[in-house]
Amino acid sequence: MSWSPIQYLTRMSHEELNPYHRLLGRILIAFLCMHASMYLNFYIMKSLLLKRIQERDVILGLIAISSFLIIGTSALAKVRDWNYRVFFIIHVCLAATLLPTLYFHVSHVRPYILEMAGIYIIIIVQRNINQKNAQASIALVPHTNLISLTIRLNKDLNSRTYIPGQHIYVSLPATLTSPLYKFRMNPFTVVNLPAKDGSINLVARGLSGTTEILTRIARDLRGEPTAVGVEGPYGAAANFPDLANTYDRVLLVAGGVGATFTMPIYRSVLGTAREDRVRFVWAVRSAAEASWALPALREDPEDPGSVLPTGFELYVTGKQNARGAAIWGDDGEEIELQEGGQLLREEEEDAAEEGKHGAKSGPGKHGRPDLRRSVDEVFGDADVRKVAVLVCGPSGMGDALRKEIGRWVARGREVWWHHEEFSW
C-alpha cells in the first residue's frame, strides 16, 4: 500500500477512495469560486479592482483559482475518456504548482501548505523507493489485440506479498524509447499467483498510448526480455475477507479482460475450497482471448484437452463491432486503463482471421451467459446462506448481475458484493 495517511486511517484502497476524492475536489472548487467571486465583487464595489489586480496576492489568487478550474474541468469523464494521459499530466502538474502558489498567496494558509508539501514529498520518496527494476518478456496473444507481460521475480520482487486481485504499476523500458517513458507508469492487474508460478503475469488490451507502445516493443523484441520498472502491489483486494472459509459459495463474473482481476482470485479460492463451491462465469469475444488463462486451470497445463474445473464457464459471444464494444451495453467500457478508449487496430477482419486459424474452437460455449441461471444455481441450495460475489467488467454487466442477486437478498441471503471498476 502507498504511504498515505488517509489509506491507513480508512483501510480503503485508491479505487475506493477515488469517488470521495472527486466529490471533495468539487466541493473545494465550489467554495474557492465563491471566495474569489466575493473578493472580486468587493473590489469592484469599492473601485479597487484595477489597483488590487496588479498586486501579488491577488495575481497569485487568480492563478490558483484558474488552476483549480482547469483541474476540475480536465477531470470530467468526457475528458478522461478522450485522453487519459492529458488529464493525468494536467492533474499532477497543476496540483504540484498550486502548493507554492497558495503558499505565497496569503500567509495564514502557509502551515497547511507545508503539511501538504511534507506528505506529498514523503509519498513521492516512498513510491520511488518502492519502484524496482526487473526483466520482462512482452508478447502478443495470438489472434487477439491482447498483450502479455511476464516479469521475472528477482530478489526485490520476490520479497513482496501479492494478494489475488491486486495491481502493480509498470513503466516502459526507457532504453527502447524516449527516456521520458521511464516516468510513464500504468496500472496492470496481476493475472496469476506469483508465489506459485514464479513470475508476475500481466495481460492488457492493445489500446492507444502506453499499450500501443508495448505492442510495438513486443513486435520488435520477439520475446527477448527487456527492463521494466515495477511498483506495487496495490489494490482493495488486500482488505478482502477470506472468501474460501467465510462464505458458503463464491461467484465470480467477468467480461473480456475483466478476468485479469477475477482469474487469480478464482485460482486462489480453488486452492482451498471444493470446486463445487466456487463458480466462475467469463464472457469473451473470441476463444483466443481466453487462451492466456486456460493452461493454469487445466489439470495438465501442457495438454489443451485436459479437464477444466467443473465450476468454470466460458462463453464466446462472437464478433463485436470494430471498436470492440462491451458485451453488455454499447459504451465500449473496458476494465484496463484507457487512453482515449480507441483500440490499437480495427477488428473488421477478426472473423476471417479466426476461421483461418481455428481460434474460435475451444472449451467455450457460444452466446451470452445466462446470469439468472448462474445466480440461481449458486444460491439455490437450501444450505447456502452466505455468498461472495465479485464481478469485473462493463458497468452494464455489473448492473445485470446486481439485479439478479437482489432477488436472493430479498429472500434473506447474505451477500458480500464487490464490483471492480478502474476509474482513475
Side-chain angles (χ1 to χ4, degrees), residues 243-306:
L243 301 177
N245 297 314
T246 305
Y247 298 94
D248 302 318
R249 295 288 188 276
V250 178
L251 172 62
L252 302 109
V253 179
V257 290
T260 56
F261 170 77
T262 53
M263 182 58 68
I265 296 176
Y266 180 57
R267 289 182 58 194
S268 176
V269 175
L270 279 180
T272 55
R274 300 194 317 268
E275 288 187 10
D276 61 347
R277 289 184 53 209
V278 54
R279 174 77 63 88
F280 182 15
V281 180
W282 184 13
V284 294
R285 287 198 294 263
S286 69
E289 292 196 355
S291 60
W292 60 267
L294 297 184
L297 296 180
R298 300 186 189 279
E299 291 184 353
D300 182 1
E302 302 298 327
D303 180 10
S306 183

Side-chain angles (χ1 to χ4, degrees), residues 171-184 210 212-214 216-217 220 226:
S171 64
L172 297 175
T175 56
L176 297 179
T177 55
S178 166
L180 294 177
Y181 284 133
K182 71 178 181 178
F183 301 107
R184 185 171 183 163
T210 298
E212 180 180 4
I213 297 170
L214 286 173
R216 292 202 300 266
I217 293 173
D220 293 340
T226 185

Side-chain angles (χ1 to χ4, degrees), residues 129-155:
I129 294 174
N130 193 27
Q131 183 176 343
K132 303 297 180 181
N133 293 329
Q135 291 292 310
S137 298
I138 308 173
L140 303 177
V141 178
H143 318 311
T144 72
N145 65 341
L146 300 179
I147 311 158
S148 69
L149 290 83
T150 302
I151 302 173
R152 301 175 183 176
L153 287 180
N154 55 29
K155 181 179 179 181

Side-chain angles (χ1 to χ4, degrees), residues 133-136 150-162 168 190 192-201 230:
N133 293 329
Q135 291 292 310
T150 302
I151 302 173
R152 301 175 183 176
L153 287 180
N154 55 29
K155 181 179 179 181
D156 292 324
L157 299 182
N158 202 34
S159 63
R160 303 177 182 181
T161 301
Y162 300 89
I168 62 174
V190 178
N192 67 324
L193 305 177
K196 182 177 181 179
D197 300 338
S199 64
I200 299 174
N201 297 344
V230 178

